[in-house]
Amino acid sequence: MALDGPTMLRLAFIVTLIGATQAAAAVANDYPTTARVDYVVGCMASNGHNQEMLERCSCSIDTIAGLVPYKRYIQAETILRMGQVGGEKSVVFKTSAHFKAIVEDLKRAQIEAELQCF
């Protein structure tokens, strides 16, 4: 059975769409469970220990995970922690344009999560 041109185009589109969907899902799911739980526990400690906050905090980390790859998330968290240490060595974490860009990516994702989930 031979396929005509429009059918071939539809199949190619579907295969491409499936591949893109799987790639997006892989990015959103590259956060280990422990990182997600750690985020939710911290979020609930700040906002309340109830079912509503569990749902909102879970939504928040899911949103962040969909926007920022886990490697970038860890980099931003590290930069933020190192910037709080104090002393001469922490200055680079506060002043580097490269480090600021990494932190800004996380902050934008956090704002989006806040808008979507809270």
Side-chain angles (χ1 to χ4, degrees):
M1 177 175 141
L3 299 174
D4 62 1
T7 302
M8 290 295 287
L9 282 175
R10 278 189 225 114
L11 285 174
F13 175 75
I14 290 169
V15 168
T16 302
L17 185 60
I18 290 169
T21 302
Q22 289 173 337
V27 169
N29 290 320
D30 72 340
Y31 283 52
T33 301
T34 54
R36 289 177 186 262
V37 170
D38 185 50
Y39 180 93
V40 171
V41 167
C43 176
M44 289 178 71
S46 298
N47 296 296
H49 294 281
N50 56 52
Q51 184 65 33
E52 179 184 0
M53 283 305 120
L54 173 63
E55 291 171 13
R56 290 178 186 267
C57 293
S58 296
C59 170
S60 182
I61 190 60
D62 289 345
T63 300
I64 292 168
L67 297 170
V68 178
Y70 183 65
K71 181 179 177 183
R72 189 87 164 173
Y73 174 82
I74 290 300
Q75 289 171 339
E77 289 289 317
T78 302
I79 292 164
L80 289 169
R81 285 192 184 116
M82 294 304 293
Q84 294 175 351
V85 171
E88 291 178 28
K89 293 182 180 179
S90 71
V91 171
V92 71
F93 294 99
K94 297 175 185 175
T95 59
S96 165
H98 175 70
F99 290 158
K100 284 182 181 181
I102 292 170
V103 170
E104 286 303 312
D105 286 347
L106 176 58
K107 287 183 179 182
R108 279 190 293 276
Q110 289 171 327
I111 290 167
E112 183 62 32
E114 182 81 17
L115 292 172
Q116 286 188 27
C117 304
F118 289 90

